[in-house]
Structures are given as structure tokens and as C-alpha cells.
Amino acid sequence: MWESTALVTGWVAVVCLAVELVRTRRRWRAAVGERGWLLERERENAAQAAVEAERDRIARELHDIVSHNVSLMVVQAGAAREVLGTMPDEAVTALRAVEDAGRGAMTDLRHLLGVLAPAQDGADGEDGGPGSTAPQPGLDRLGTLVDRISFAGLPVEVRISGEPRPLPQGVDVTAYRIVQEALTNALRHGDGGKAEVTVRYADHALRVEVLSTGPSVLTGQAPPPPTRQGTGRGLLGLRERVAVYGGDLDARRRLGGGFRVRARIPLDRP
């Protein structure tokens, strides 16, 4: 009798353990499935965020390329129209500047498209062809930029402070785009003013400042700000670029006329 009771109890215990094991395995499988689903969602979210970030980057690059070159073309075309009948030589010079600006825009666009869609034969395009992936413009091209702006009618003075040194590519491109956007806005809204560009190589940061003259807010003749809230482009987009490197950018109208754009980009950030 006692042995039968013990045997029944043992079988009941075995059955209970088996049932619990099955339940445990089901819970484990459910947990693994849920974790896999969460990981898949995280991967999808990360991929979507990367796509959106890349889309914003491309949009900023297109804005910088098109806005700058088209502004130069509009100014020079207008100058050519004004003197076409009286000073044909000056009109030809202005039209050549329009042509150069158009070619510059096409070169930059080919570079951007070459990065987005490399050649099918795998060539890296180092020869500067349509699939070229040559480095983007940096402060080494500041002189060319200033010459183009000055020729378009906005005198520009450049000051370099500190010892120039190689910069991380992202910082170098961002600094160039800051000057480009600020000078383009000054050319568009300056109304016969001038501009000053200061680049300072400090120990731990790069500082860029662009000052432009123009109609004063004190006389009520100041133009609208060069950036529009909510566009996500222009100086607003550059502010986001600078923030990526832990820096800051400030753009505002000057009381005496014109605008001031000032940026600080740390150089010792890992």
C-alpha cells in the first residue's frame, strides 16, 4: 500500500515537472520571439534614421551648391543686362562669369552624384571625371570663393589668425560652407556693401566669422533675414552641421547694417 502511494506520488511529480518544463520552454520561446521582434524593430528604426539623416545631408549639399552658384549667375546676368548696350566688353566679362558659375555648379553636382552613384565599373573617379569622389571643398579653396564673390560685386577682406593646420574633413567642409553661405547671403542682400571673413585657428577650436555691411535697422531699411525659420536649409542647416561637432553657430543682423555670422567648432573632440 505504501509503495503504491509512493509510486503514484512519484508519477504525479514527474508529470508536474514535465508540464512545468513545457510551460517554461513556451515562455522562453515567446521571450526569444519578442526579443527578436524588438531587435528587428530597432534595426528598422536605425535604418530609417540613417536614411533620413543622409537625405538631409544631401539636401543641404544641394542647397549650398545651387544657392551659391545661382545667386552669382543672377547677379552677373543682371550686371550684363545693365551694360549690354553701352559697355559691351564689361557685359561679355559678366557673361563669362555666369558661364563659370554654371560650370562650377555642374562640377559640384557631378561630384555629389558621383558619390551617390559610383561608376558601375568600380572606378573611384580620382581623375575628377563624372564619377569623381574627390574631397569636398575646404578652406584651401577659400581664395577662389572670395575671388568669385568679389568679382560679382561684393568686396571681401580675409583675415587668417593663428597657425593654419590640417583639419578633419567634416570640419573643413563645414567651415567652408559657413563662409560660402554667409557671403552668398551678403551678396544677395548687401546692396553695395562689403564683407570681412576671419578664420582663427585656436588651440582647441576653429572660429569662423563673417561680417557684412548693408542697410541698417536703425533707418528701417534693413532687408529680411537671410534665413527663414523652418526651412532646414541654409544657415539653419549649417547650425545643425556645427552642432554635430559640439560647436555652435550664431547668425544675426547687425545694428549698424548688414549681418554677422559667427561659428566655433571644437578640434579636440574625439
Side-chain angles (χ1 to χ4, degrees):
M1 181 67 179
W2 181 84
E3 293 179 355
S4 299
T5 302
L7 183 60
V8 171
T9 302
W11 276 109
V12 171
V14 170
V15 171
C16 291
L17 289 174
V19 172
E20 185 61 29
L21 178 61
V22 171
R23 290 177 178 174
T24 301
R25 293 191 55 153
R26 287 178 178 174
R27 287 195 295 266
W28 177 78
R29 288 177 180 175
V32 170
E34 182 177 359
R35 182 181 180 186
W37 178 79
L38 291 175
L39 290 175
E40 183 64 24
R41 285 292 302 275
E42 290 179 1
R43 283 194 293 266
E44 291 177 357
N45 291 337
Q48 182 64 27
V51 169
E52 292 177 356
E54 186 64 9
R55 184 183 295 117
D56 288 342
R57 186 189 71 82
I58 294 170
R60 288 193 296 264
E61 288 295 326
L62 286 173
H63 171 275
D64 293 339
I65 293 170
V66 174
S67 175
H68 169 68
N69 287 287
V70 170
S71 293
L72 288 178
M73 294 169 70
V74 169
V75 171
Q76 293 296 341
R81 177 176 54 80
E82 292 291 336
V83 300
L84 186 60
T86 57
M87 294 182 288
D89 292 340
E90 285 74 5
V92 170
T93 300
L95 290 175
R96 285 175 178 170
V98 173
E99 182 180 3
D100 290 341
R103 287 176 176 172
M106 292 301 299
T107 299
D108 290 341
L109 288 172
R110 281 197 300 267
H111 161 72
L112 181 60
L113 294 176
V115 172
L116 296 176
Q120 294 182 357
D121 59 3
D124 56 10
E126 291 182 356
D127 60 351
S132 174
T133 57
Q136 292 179 287
L139 292 179
D140 59 332
R141 288 176 54 180
L142 186 59
T144 302
L145 172 64
V146 168
D147 289 343
R148 294 174 65 182
I149 294 292
S150 298
F151 185 78
L154 178 70
V156 182
E157 181 179 353
V158 178
R159 296 188 179 93
I160 305 296
S161 176
E163 185 66 25
R165 57 186 185 273
L167 300 171
Q169 182 180 6
V171 173
D172 202 15
V173 173
T174 299
Y176 177 88
R177 294 302 190 194
I178 290 170
V179 178
Q180 181 187 56
E181 179 71 14
L183 290 181
T184 301
N185 285 330
L187 177 65
R188 187 183 299 125
H189 303 293
D191 192 21
K194 61 181 181 178
E196 298 178 0
V197 177
T198 302
V199 179
R200 180 187 176 194
Y201 293 84
D203 291 338
H204 304 289
L206 178 72
R207 298 181 181 273
V208 179
E209 182 179 66
V210 180
L211 300 177
S212 64
T213 62
S216 172
V217 297
L218 300 178
T219 62
Q221 298 177 346
T227 57
R228 294 171 293 178
Q229 296 297 327
T231 63
R233 305 292 179 260
L235 291 175
L236 289 178
L238 289 172
R239 186 175 288 113
E240 296 175 0
R241 288 194 189 194
V242 172
V244 169
Y245 301 101
D248 53 80
L249 182 144
D250 178 70
R252 64 183 61 190
R253 183 182 291 126
R254 304 171 66 191
L255 288 178
F259 294 90
R260 184 196 74 190
V261 178
R262 180 179 295 170
R264 181 191 62 86
I265 310 175
L267 297 178
D268 52 2
R269 186 177 180 181

